[in-house]
Amino acid sequence: TRTSDLYGTTLDAERLRDRLHEVLDVEFVARESSFKGDYYLAGSRSGEHFEIQPNQIPGDWGEWDLMEEDFAEYPMLLYVYRTERADELRNRLREVPELVHLRRRVRE
């Protein structure tokens, strides 16, 4: 079973990156995407990985869109992809009180 979780926060990307490094002992690398804008990635896209990205992303004609419209109150998002230890990670992420669990998707 592979699980993907979404978290939201009001922390900025750098502070969230630093807190996640402390709590999860993962190294984030800065990335850039024309779709997502600037974001941070840890892990391998072929397996468990984490992405920190702004909820506000570049849109059409110089406008801004929201990556997660249902969670507009959170300017920064953490995606946890393809994990087999979602509950363990969720418990560990409780050490970051500014981080709120928003959604879980499970794939068999």
Side-chain angles (χ1 to χ4, degrees):
T1 302
R2 296 281 176 124
T3 302
S4 296
D5 281 333
L6 172 63
Y7 296 83
T9 186
T10 55
L11 294 174
D12 66 35
E14 290 74 22
R15 181 72 181 126
L16 180 57
R17 176 200 63 203
D18 293 346
R19 290 292 291 130
L20 294 176
H21 175 71
E22 293 169 11
V23 171
L24 301 177
D25 194 30
V26 294
E27 294 291 333
F28 284 89
V29 176
R31 300 287 177 119
E32 186 178 331
S33 162
S34 59
F35 173 68
K36 299 179 190 180
D38 295 333
Y39 69 102
Y40 288 98
L41 175 67
S44 167
R45 287 190 187 275
S46 63
E48 179 183 273
H49 64 284
F50 307 86
E51 288 185 18
I52 298 170
Q53 71 174 73
N55 197 358
Q56 195 174 54
I57 57 172
D60 296 329
W61 302 288
E63 296 178 6
W64 292 94
D65 291 329
L66 290 177
M67 190 72 178
E68 298 288 345
E69 291 182 4
D70 291 342
F71 305 111
E73 66 272 29
Y74 297 103
M76 196 60 56
L77 303 170
L78 169 66
Y79 290 92
V80 179
Y81 290 113
R82 297 182 181 161
T83 186
E84 294 180 357
R85 55 189 188 125
D87 291 334
E88 172 193 337
L89 291 173
R90 188 171 179 183
N91 286 334
R92 290 171 68 186
L93 290 170
R94 287 189 174 116
E95 295 180 36
V96 184
E98 303 89 349
L99 202 56
V100 178
H101 185 260
L102 302 174
R103 179 178 68 217
R104 173 167 285 179
R105 292 190 175 146
V106 178
R107 295 196 176 115
E108 299 296 324

